[in-house]
Amino acid sequence: MPARIPNSVMETAIYTRHDDIVDWRYCLTRHAEADFEVPGTHIGMAFNASASAIVADRLAKARASE
């Protein structure tokens, strides 16, 4: 059973369909505005420019909403 995220927390899910470690379908929040697909692999996400850009954008949006 998924945990409830408080409305004050900006939920974000970054996933890749080429993970090979975690089934990407388990990474979805079921909220299209919070789910972001990037190319690459599970291990590669630490160095993935697309993932880094999403994190930076989401952090900026969270900060702006404070």
Side-chain angles (χ1 to χ4, degrees):
M1 176 177 243
R4 291 191 176 217
I5 305 296
N7 290 336
S8 61
V9 175
M10 183 181 287
E11 186 176 22
T12 304
I14 302 173
Y15 67 95
T16 174
R17 291 181 192 230
H18 305 286
D19 194 302
D20 293 333
I21 295 175
V22 176
D23 186 324
W24 64 272
R25 290 176 281 271
Y26 290 112
C27 300
L28 301 176
T29 66
R30 303 203 199 291
H31 302 286
E33 69 279 357
D35 295 335
F36 299 89
E37 181 179 1
V38 296
T41 64
H42 184 91
I43 300 299
M45 263 203 235
F47 311 100
N48 188 311
S50 297
S52 296
I54 292 165
V55 170
D57 181 64
R58 300 293 281 180
L59 287 172
K61 285 180 180 175
R63 175 114 188 187
S65 69
E66 289 181 343

